Amino acid sequence: MEYSLLCNGLCVVLFNPVKYKLFFVSIMLSLWLYMLYCCVGYASTMPSYMTDLEQGKELQFAAGTDTDHQSDASGASLVSRLVSKNESDQEAPSARTASRDLLNDEVDSDRSDDWDETRGDHRGCLEPCILSNFSSASESKKLPQAIIIGVKKGGTRALLEFLRVHPDIRAVGAEPHFFDRNYHRGLGWYRDLMPRTLEGQITMEKTPSYFVTREAPARIHAMSHETKLIVVVRDPVTRAISDYTQTLSKKPDIPTFEVLTFKNRTTGLIDTTWSAVQIGLYAKHLDGWLQFFPISQILFVSGEWLIRDPAGEMARVQDFLGLKRIITDKHFYFNHTKGFPCLKKPEGSSKPHCLGKTKGRTHPNIDQDVVKCLRDFYRPFNKKFYQMTGQDFGWD
C-alpha cells in the first residue's frame, strides 16, 4: 500500500511540469548547500595551517633549524602535517645556541630550550592555546612591549617558560640577541622573529646578555621608551659558580674556578675582567639602564624566590605587566631531584614539563676561602644595588 502511494506520488510529480521543476530545483539547491558547507568547513582549517607553517619558518630562521622542511622532504601528506602541527605547540622551538669562547665570548644559554625528555616534548602547548581557526588576518607581528634583559644564570629561562603559560603572553623561544649582536639587521628583521599576536596580547623576548651590553639601553629606548624591562637577579657568588659550571660542562680542561677568580691569589685581587665575575656587578650595569629608563619601568625578580615561591614572584611579574593573575600555585610542583619548580601538566597533556638536563647541574666543590673572598668583594656592590632598586635580596 505504502509502495503504491509512493509510486503514485512520483508519477504526479514527474508528469506535472510545474511540480517536476520545483522538485528538480529543490534537489539542486540541497546539493549546492551541502557542497558549500563542506567547502567552508575545509577552508576554515587552512589559515591555521598556513599561519603555523609561516610561524614555523620564521622561528626556524631565528633558531637556525629547518624541521618542517625536512618533514616536507620526506613526502608527508598535507593531512599528516596538519595532525603533527596540531599536536605541537604553536610557540617557537627555542634555539640550541652554540658555545663560543671559553670565558668572555660564550653564549648566554646552553640548550636553554631543552625540556627533560622524560617529561615530554618541549614543544607541547604549555599555555591555553589560541584557537586554530583564527586566520593570519586577525594576528600581527609586533615589536616586544616587554623584554627579559638579564641576567645570565639567574633564572631567565624558567621565568620565560612560566610566563608562556599566560594566554595574554606570546614570546619567542629563541634568544634573538638583537640589541647586542644583530642590531645592524634592523627593526624589520627583529619584528619578523616575533610570534604573531592577537589584539591585547603582549609580545616578549628574553636575551640575558642585554643587561651587561653597554649599547643595549640606548638601542631599546630608541625602539620604544615605554618598553617594560625585567631583570632576574641571583646571589652573584652563586651565579658565578653556576656560570663556571656551565662552561666546565663544555670545556672540562679549563682552569679551576679558584684560578680564574683571582688576578693574584696571594694578594686576593679579584679578576673583574672574567665575565663570570663581571656580570655580578649589578649596580654598575644598572647605572647604564637608569640613564634611559626610570626605575619604575624595570622589575627585578629574585632568582632565589623564583625557586622558593614561584607563584609569588609570578604574581609580581603579572602585576608589573598589567596582566590578570592567571599563573598561580596550581601551575607548579617542586621537583626535588632537580631542585627547582616545574610546571604541572597542562590540560590536554599527559606529562608535566621541567627544564632539561642543562638546568640544575651539580656545582663543583669550591674552596670556601675563595667563596668568602668573593662575598667580601661583592658586598659593597650588593648594598648599592639594594639602594638603587629599593629591594634587599638578602645575599649578605
Side-chain angles (χ1 to χ4, degrees), residues 108-109 148-153 156-157 175 177 180 205-213 279:
D108 303 294
S109 65
I148 301 174
I149 59 173
V151 298
K152 179 185 179 184
K153 308 309 295 181
T156 59
R157 172 55 54 180
E175 295 176 5
H177 284 281
D180 56 354
E205 71 114 320
K206 78 107 177 171
T207 303
S209 57
Y210 290 162
F211 188 64
V212 298
T213 300
I279 290 173

Side-chain angles (χ1 to χ4, degrees), residues 68-131:
D68 285 340
H69 283 208
Q70 293 174 358
S71 177
D72 290 342
S74 68
S77 67
L78 174 61
V79 174
S80 64
R81 291 202 301 272
L82 282 169
V83 171
S84 65
K85 295 297 285 186
N86 286 333
E87 290 177 346
S88 64
D89 185 15
Q90 294 179 9
E91 291 289 346
S94 303
R96 298 176 179 269
T97 46
S99 175
R100 291 192 175 185
D101 185 66
L102 175 62
L103 302 177
N104 293 335
D105 196 30
E106 59 184 317
V107 295
D108 303 294
S109 65
D110 61 324
R111 301 181 61 167
S112 56
D113 60 308
D114 201 11
W115 291 104
D116 189 334
E117 60 267 39
T118 65
R119 302 192 179 278
D121 185 358
H122 74 285
R123 295 175 64 188
C125 187
L126 298 182
E127 72 277 15
C129 297
I130 293 181
L131 294 176

Side-chain angles (χ1 to χ4, degrees), residues 103-104 236-237 239-241 243-244 257 260-262 270-282 285 374 377-378 381:
L103 302 177
N104 293 335
V237 177
R239 197 221 66 82
I241 296 173
D243 200 340
Y244 172 79
F257 181 86
L260 294 170
T261 299
F262 296 99
I270 302 294
D271 186 359
T272 57
T273 64
W274 183 28
S275 64
V277 171
Q278 196 263 347
I279 290 173
L281 303 174
Y282 302 143
H285 303 304
L374 270 179
F377 167 76
Y378 278 122
F381 294 100

Side-chain angles (χ1 to χ4, degrees), residues 357-372:
K357 294 179 179 179
T358 61
K359 305 301 178 183
R361 294 187 184 95
T362 302
H363 291 176
N365 293 323
I366 306 297
D367 188 329
Q368 290 305 300
D369 289 337
V370 175
V371 173
K372 182 180 181 304

Side-chain angles (χ1 to χ4, degrees), residues 229-234 282-283 286 295-306 312-313 316-317 320 379 381-396:
L229 308 172
I230 301 177
V231 187
V232 188
V233 289
R234 184 183 182 187
Y282 302 143
L286 178 59
I295 195 70
S296 60
Q297 210 164 314
I298 308 175
L299 179 69
F300 299 91
V301 176
S302 167
E304 287 83 10
W305 281 104
L306 196 60
E313 284 299 282
R316 294 179 59 241
V317 176
F320 175 71
R379 187 168 290 111
F381 294 100
N382 291 344
K383 289 183 177 179
K384 178 64 176 177
F385 185 63
Y386 297 168
Q387 294 172 359
M388 297 171 76
T389 62
Q391 294 178 236
D392 186 338
F393 292 91
W395 296 327
D396 298 317

Side-chain angles (χ1 to χ4, degrees), residues 141-161:
K141 292 191 174 188
K142 302 180 183 69
L143 292 169
Q145 299 103 314
I147 304 176
I148 301 174
I149 59 173
V151 298
K152 179 185 179 184
K153 308 309 295 181
T156 59
R157 172 55 54 180
L159 176 61
L160 183 69
E161 296 304 332

